[in-house]
Amino acid sequence: MIGLVFRLVTGVLSLAVALFALGIGFLWYDGSRVLDRATTSGWLAPKPDAAPMTVFEDTASKYMFGRTWNETGFPCRTAARFWSHYTGKLDRDGLSISQVMARDISYEVEASQSLRSQVRQLSVSCLLEGRGNDTELLRLWLRRARFGPGIAGVDAASQTIFNKAPSLLDQTEAAKLIALIYQPSLRSDAAEWNKRGQAIAQAAFAD
């Protein structure tokens, strides 16, 4: 009798391990397939250079991603924060650049909030963390970030709005440009736009 129970328990545990391994394999495959599409569509190429961060990038990293910037976790940062993410307990700086980028890439494949879409975003985010550091991921994401109707990418936004390259923006201009990612309509209200830009600059460098 004891031998039978032991074999049953062993069998159940073996099945559980096999199913877990199968699930991990599926996650890796699904995420890799999405990243293959992202590569084809231009999301991940060419690889950003290793130049020092600009004022704009530094402001964006501090304000938009806060303490998650260059954060680590096991088996990846996103998986380590899984519970907080899916229980809605993350604050403003609770999303990492890899999560934001994974969300936008995944939406190009399937614009939904289905369980599979959520799990896909998790796997894509973990895979992205293995492909580049936060600065590289931020630069890739900023190439496609939306700053208003017909304005995609930080280069186009900076040239259109301030008539200069992003690398030449000062802290005030950088903060105002970041404000447009959240609310593009601010450009039509100069006073409110300035106010929002000042708030972003203060929050980014509060510490």
Side-chain angles (χ1 to χ4, degrees), residues 5-95:
V5 172
F6 178 78
R7 287 195 294 273
L8 285 174
V9 171
T10 301
V12 169
L13 289 176
S14 298
L15 179 60
V17 170
L19 290 174
F20 178 76
L22 184 63
I24 294 297
F26 176 75
L27 282 176
W28 179 86
Y29 170 77
D30 203 25
S32 295
R33 184 175 57 84
V34 172
L35 286 187
D36 286 343
R37 292 189 184 183
T39 300
T40 300
S41 67
W43 262 103
L44 305 178
K47 186 175 181 178
D49 60 40
M53 293 182 74
T54 64
V55 170
F56 176 81
E57 292 168 345
D58 188 42
T59 306
S61 69
K62 287 181 169 61
Y63 179 76
M64 299 181 70
F65 305 108
R67 64 179 176 271
T68 71
W69 191 252
N70 291 326
E71 183 184 49
T72 59
F74 179 83
C76 74
R77 171 178 54 194
T78 305
R81 300 170 64 82
F82 179 86
W83 180 252
S84 294
H85 178 61
Y86 287 99
T87 54
K89 295 181 179 179
L90 293 177
D91 54 21
R92 177 182 61 79
D93 58 359
L95 288 179

Side-chain angles (χ1 to χ4, degrees), residues 106-152:
S106 297
Y107 274 21
E108 287 192 6
V109 176
E110 179 188 4
S112 76
Q113 289 294 327
S114 66
L115 177 60
R116 179 174 179 178
S117 176
Q118 295 294 311
V119 173
R120 177 189 291 124
Q121 289 179 40
L122 168 65
S123 65
V124 171
S125 181
C126 287
L127 288 168
L128 283 170
E129 290 173 25
R131 293 199 179 196
N133 58 43
D134 279 7
T135 301
E136 291 171 333
L137 295 181
L138 177 63
R139 287 171 174 169
L140 289 171
W141 181 73
L142 285 172
R143 292 175 185 171
R144 292 182 172 233
R146 307 291 300 187
F147 294 84
I151 306 177

Side-chain angles (χ1 to χ4, degrees), residues 56 147 151-170 173-174 177 180:
F56 176 81
F147 294 84
I151 306 177
V154 64
D155 288 335
S158 184
Q159 291 288 356
T160 300
I161 297 169
F162 295 110
N163 197 32
K164 61 174 70 174
S167 60
L168 300 179
L169 296 175
D170 60 29
E173 293 166 334
L177 204 57
L180 297 182

